[in-house]
């Protein structure tokens, strides 16, 4: 193993990395033979009248949003706005979403996680985290919209998240960046003493549709990268990778790549839960903070090849596979062996007060496919095979988890980070498809200037050999994705007509405008093809206010028909929102500019959509 | 003609419209026969190593952005952020784009228009308008980014835009909403006297890459809907449709649908140019405003079937075709006949001081395909055929412009607004494809909650019958699109290394941090896989400031390699930008929160991307 570590060290110097990636993996302008092309074309073609078989939920990275694709067509069906505003849907403009977004106007949406029941995707909710601004979000798959966003204190970049436990008891948010405990100012000279990598345990209250912080754990000041929850025999446990155990504070590309071994953090969340119930925590900014140096028995370190990225639990829950991005090997670890070592307290020592397991006592096998470089992340099928993305050698390697034997390899273009197989993170993967989430598209698609799209490639797993059957350009930038069988979801077609919903109005005659001091409140309706704000007025589709008034507009879309969404925009007032069929939305603003402002339906709704407009008249101050 | 006008009047009442659309055009779950499916699958499949043949530039409506697709694959390749911020690319966050976006955080991007030379797309620039906040934008197709955004005063919603003249002399921005002249406050009781529909003539200064307002025209207070520039014999002229010539001020769906005839506005922009040069204008808010009641000879009205939507000039420039959304007919008008009537001053009267041509003297033919309802917009091929979208009967009808004969029809799902044929707005369309921009997708794709995607359908024009060969879901909401041959574009791969560019730094050793009073200025570089802010500091990748400092960070990406874009985000500080290869970007903010803030590369760049981070340290005030 020494040999490859030495070889890889060169890579860490930075310059070499680019040469490797961009010299060796130039495009091969091979056009697949025609018969093959014809077969693949049909495999991904979903003719009108039929639908895709799977949903793919792909993180949108620094777009802040969630991208939804149909598989096998790889068509981009929808974007759910999450951490960044979206004027098309009015996300961040209407009162509800504006409040959820709080003081932030963007996010870096990382790993999406579907809710699970008994270790299987249940199709109910989707979770994701914001590395940029330390938040978690939950989306309701009945409406494909965000139910809640939670800002988490004390942490710096919840990258290594979210992965949920088998019954969605928790989503864990370990962080990529160490920060001083409580996020105070502290010199980097005090990094090892004052900085911490804080992991948060977040729960979802399904009744209230709210995310809540259960507790946090003050881990050593390392970078936590990826994680996975245990399954079946390991269901109370979770694993996550960590790098920069060197605790370096500058030039990480070199300094965080020094040690031969980093760690997998193995923890028992049932034990953590008990500790918290037993009062074994300190309070910090209102959060219960567990210090594993003081409270032992829940967290262990497993040495692994340097700078690991992914760690993935096998569908049967017996093993976890770590992939070291600076080591050309996957390491298979045994949960049973780990449990035995823990029970027998056979430790190789401690690091930062946390027991370290002996590598050999827990490791089952090192898997080292010839010339495969940069293993990052593994997914699984239904037949005992793992599929690991090779970032540097730009391929996916299929191998047998039980034997370590390499079974097949397929080149992808270029530089795959994660991959997502059909139901791949569940106890029962489907084994039909895997999608490579490539970080670089380079010359794959029509050129669009210096900034390129990323690229996802769909690979058919049903034949003798893995085969790429479709390439799809992607807006920046998916970091992870999950693929779920389409029949597990049953979204709403219209919002129910709920007459008790606050501020809703369901008939034209109830539409009204009221004034209370300097506040003008509109209870209006939108229907094909008009707005009614005040049923008693001479012009029912006009809102007249005085300069400086606060204006509150509640709008209910009373068209209870599929796909009849109305928009509501006010010219020059920088306001827009969407009102979906049966929905009530509220927008608030100060009428701080006198004048005449057309308002109109911004979302196409009918043959007379173009006529669906009115005016906001703002009378100047005397 | 009386008969259909009467029939259509019922539609205008609103309720009937929905019944027509949503009862008659339920999905037909016909799965095309297998042989056909296989052929169509191959027609749209672009295997790895090959590229799409056309770019499609589709307006993004109230998303504020421009969507780019490849044809025939219909893959969404890229989004250019224009009027709304986009954290993925940093649009609206870096200093340059923040200044261009000004006080607005969204737009309603309507009709895109490619720059033209001699009436042909030249592949250099793309223009678009913002109906919501009265702006025009120009994108440079070398970089696929916005060069300039212009806010236009005195206007209310430039919907009927932009269409460019044959050598990109002007883009015209007529407006959908009448507003009081100068946008003062005025009662709607004074609509006919005080309100105007103002059209703006905008020029593009290619050297400065700036949009400029040449002049405006104070048109009657009607709604201007769509427009087209003349070609060849009609090259100095342009046409636009107008509705609400009733000048109604409320319940437009009924009141703006009363008159049997609305108008096409026919104007000579060379004459307008001369008028302005001759001083025949008033000044309003610093803009030259032409009043056609006072200054005659450039603008004429052509009566057309009620509430027209599209008006389109044939590729040979001899005719213009109007489509009345409340009339089941396309009307073909002759430019030559119009010119003759104008030269002979044979008018049927005046309306609002503008001469009205006699319908019969200008009209060449009414085309009325059986049961075709709701014609909206026509595109053309290279063989003399027009293709008109039928909104209500959900189809595209192919007909012979010279004879009026209906040649073919193809159903689309559902409710097509515009259509875009290959090079369809030029003097030489390609005739290979047309894409229907459908407003309603309904049950076409996997369900995604009450708010649905829109849908575009690609139609093959090369066979005996038109055939739909692909359906593509679309984020809300394309209003128009143009399709250009891919080989006309040659985008930059990296920005040139320009050592004279202000604030650029091209070597690590020149990276520096300087303080001037309370302003800290960083001249930094980004390269695989690190930031260097200060080459002389102990930690080169750390920025240390004091609470309350103004921080200005200039960052140059010195990786001059294809597709190596770096991001720059600061945790908890709500800041992110993208720095493309060879680009220099600037971000400014006040360090108003003391504490420790990780900063990191947000756009994947290399194997050690995860290690590309540092810290912003904000020392608290004493």
């Amino acid at each position: 193993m020494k040999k490859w570590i030495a070889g890889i060290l060169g890579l860490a110097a930075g310059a070499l990395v680019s040469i490797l990636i961009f010299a060796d993996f130039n495009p091969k302008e091979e056009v697949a033979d025609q018969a093959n092309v014809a077969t693949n074309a049909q495999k991904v073609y979903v003719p009108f009248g039929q639908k895709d078989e799977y949903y793919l939920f792909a993180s949108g990275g620094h777009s802040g949003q969630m991208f939804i694709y149909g598989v096998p067509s790889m068509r981009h069906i929808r974007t759910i706005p999450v951490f960044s505003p979206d004027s098309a849907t009015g996300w961040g403009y209407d009162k509800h979403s504006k409040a959820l977004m709080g003081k932030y106007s963007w996010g870096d949406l990382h790993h999406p996680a579907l809710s699970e029941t008994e270790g299987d995707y249940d199709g109910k909710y989707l979770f994701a985290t914001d590395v940029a601004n330390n938040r978690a979000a939950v989306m309701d798959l009945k409406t494909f919209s965000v139910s809640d966003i939670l800002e988490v204190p004390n942490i710096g970049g919840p990258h290594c998240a979210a992965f949920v436990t088998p019954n969605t008891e928790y989503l864990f948010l370990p962080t990529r960046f160490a920060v001083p405990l409580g996020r105070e100012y502290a010199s980097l000279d005090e990094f090892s003493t004052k900085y911490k990598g804080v992991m948060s345990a977040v729960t979802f209250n399904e009744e209230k549709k709210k995310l809540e912080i259960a507790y946090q754990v003050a881990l050593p000041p390392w970078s936590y990268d990826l994680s996975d929850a245990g399954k079946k025999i390991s269901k109370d446990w979770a694993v996550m990778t960590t790098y920069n155990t060197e605790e370096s504070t500058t030039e990480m590309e070199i300094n965080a790549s020094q040690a031969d071994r980093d760690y997998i953090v193995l923890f028992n969340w049932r034990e953590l839960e008990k500790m918290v119930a037993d009062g074994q925590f300190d309070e910090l900014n209102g959060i219960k903070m567990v210090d594993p140096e003081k409270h032992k028995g829940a967290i262990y370190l497993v040495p692994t090849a340097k700078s690991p990225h992914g760690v993935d639990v096998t569908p049967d829950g017996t093993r976890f596979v770590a992939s070291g991005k600076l080591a050309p090997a996957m390491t298979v670890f045994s949960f049973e062996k780990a449990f035995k070592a823990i029970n027998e307290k056979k430790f190789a020592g401690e690091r930062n007060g946390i027991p370290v397991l002996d590598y050999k006592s827990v490791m089952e096998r090192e898997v080292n496919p010839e010339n495969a470089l940069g293993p990052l992340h593994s997914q699984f099928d239904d037949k005992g095979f793992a599929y690991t993305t090779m970032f540097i050698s730009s391929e996916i390697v299929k191998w047998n988890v039980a034997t370590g034997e390499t079974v097949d390899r397929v080149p992808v273009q270029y530089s795959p980070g994660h991959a997502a197989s059909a139901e791949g993170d569940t106890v029962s993967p489907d084994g039909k498809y895997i999608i490579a989430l490539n970080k670089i598209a380079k010359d794959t698609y029509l050129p669009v200037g210096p900034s390129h799209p990323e690229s996802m490639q769909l690979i058919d797993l049903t034949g003798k050999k893995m085969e790429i059957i479709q390439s799809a350009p992607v807006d920046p930038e998916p970091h992870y994705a999950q693929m779920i069988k389409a029949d597990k979801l049953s979204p709403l077609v219209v919002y129910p007509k709920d007459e008790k919903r606050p501020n809703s109005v369901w008939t034209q005659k109830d539409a009204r405008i009221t004034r209370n001091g300097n506040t003008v409140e509109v209870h209006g309706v939108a229907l094909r093809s008009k707005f009614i704000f005040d049923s008693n007025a001479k012009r029912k589709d006009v809102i007249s206010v005085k300069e400086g008034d606060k204006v509150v507009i509640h709008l209910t879309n009373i068209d209870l028909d599929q796909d009849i969404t109305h928009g509501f925009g006010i010219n020059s007032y920088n306001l827009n929102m969407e009102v979906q069929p049966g929905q009530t939305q509220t927008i608030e603003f100060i009428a701080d500019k006198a004048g005449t402002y057309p308002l109109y339906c911004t979302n196409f709704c009918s043959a007379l959509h173009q006529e669906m407009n009115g005016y906001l008249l703002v009378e100047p101050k005397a």
Side-chain angles (χ1 to χ4, degrees), chain A residues 231-287:
Chain A
K231 297 179 176 81
K232 297 186 173 176
I233 67 156
S234 57
K235 69 181 167 46
D236 296 344
W237 295 77
V239 282
M240 55 192 178
T241 54
T242 181
Y243 62 99
N244 194 26
T245 58
E246 296 88 349
E247 301 181 12
S248 71
T249 59
T250 187
E251 294 182 78
M252 298 273 282
E253 61 162 349
I254 294 167
N255 295 328
S257 308
Q258 298 300 310
D260 270 3
R261 292 250 175 254
D262 286 298
Y263 299 106
I264 291 166
V265 181
L266 171 68
F267 67 95
N268 184 313
W269 53 267
R270 290 277 183 213
E271 285 299 324
L272 286 170
E273 201 172 56
K274 274 186 221 158
M275 279 179 189
V276 172
D278 291 352
Q280 296 182 45
F281 60 83
D282 304 301
E283 276 227 3
L284 183 69
N285 295 326
I287 308 291

Side-chain angles (χ1 to χ4, degrees), chain A residues 305-375:
Chain A
K306 69 188 308 172
S307 299
H309 188 56
V311 61
D312 301 281
V313 175
T314 55
D316 64 5
T318 62
R319 299 174 173 105
F320 52 102
V321 177
S323 304
K325 66 176 183 278
L326 297 185
M330 291 76 80
T331 314
V332 182
F333 296 94
S334 158
F335 272 111
E336 277 179 302
K337 286 187 176 188
F339 297 161
K340 187 165 180 286
I342 290 166
N343 285 335
E344 296 172 0
K345 295 193 193 297
K346 281 197 178 158
F347 302 130
E350 273 197 355
R351 180 76 201 274
N352 296 45
I354 303 174
V356 179
L357 300 182
D358 178 61
Y359 177 71
K360 287 198 178 127
S361 77
V362 183
M363 189 271 289
E364 189 177 297
R365 166 173 301 109
E366 288 172 2
V367 180
N368 187 355
E370 200 177 354
N371 297 327
L373 290 173

Side-chain angles (χ1 to χ4, degrees), chain A residues 406-426:
Chain A
T406 300
V407 180
D408 193 14
R409 308 164 69 137
V410 64
V412 297
Q413 283 83 9
Y414 304 90
S415 305
H418 292 263
S421 67
E423 304 252 329
D425 286 312
T426 72

Side-chain angles (χ1 to χ4, degrees), chain A residues 374-413:
Chain A
L376 288 192
H377 174 239
S378 299
Q379 285 274 278
F380 304 97
D381 68 8
D382 52 338
K383 295 179 185 66
F385 295 109
Y387 300 80
T388 303
T389 51
M390 296 291 164
F391 177 81
I392 296 177
S393 54
S394 279
E395 61 182 326
I396 286 184
V397 173
K398 176 180 177 179
W399 54 283
N400 187 316
V401 179
T403 66
E405 179 200 5
T406 300
V407 180
D408 193 14
R409 308 164 69 137
V410 64
V412 297
Q413 283 83 9

Side-chain angles (χ1 to χ4, degrees), chain A residues 421-540:
Chain A
S421 67
E423 304 252 329
D425 286 312
T426 72
V427 292
S428 57
D430 282 2
K432 194 164 179 179
Y433 298 115
I434 193 166
I435 294 169
L437 277 61
N438 304 326
K439 292 297 195 178
I440 307 280
K442 240 183 141 179
D443 45 13
T444 305
Y445 307 105
L446 285 179
V448 288
S451 180
H452 291 26
E454 270 58 61
S455 177
M456 301 198 296
Q457 289 183 301
L458 177 66
I459 298 163
D460 180 2
L461 301 182
T462 61
K464 269 202 154 176
K465 297 274 295 169
M466 291 188 283
E467 185 161 25
I468 292 181
I469 55 175
Q470 184 62 298
S471 300
V474 188
D475 271 345
E477 164 176 314
H479 292 277
Y480 190 52
Q482 286 191 332
M483 201 191 315
I484 180 173
K485 203 86 159 65
D487 60 15
K488 285 188 174 177
L489 272 68
S490 53
L492 288 183
V493 174
V494 301
Y495 280 85
K497 182 178 176 180
D498 174 4
E499 309 217 5
K500 288 183 182 152
R501 186 189 304 148
N503 296 312
S504 64
V505 172
W506 296 96
T507 64
Q508 298 185 38
K509 73 174 173 39
D510 288 337
R512 61 196 183 273
I513 300 180
T514 51
R515 173 179 284 278
N516 185 353
N518 289 328
T519 300
V520 175
E521 192 161 13
V522 181
H523 286 83
V525 296
L527 70 159
R528 281 176 307 233
S529 302
K530 59 189 167 190
F531 296 110
I532 307 284
F533 303 121
D534 185 347
S535 62
N536 293 315
K538 176 179 170 190
R539 296 186 180 92
K540 299 174 174 57

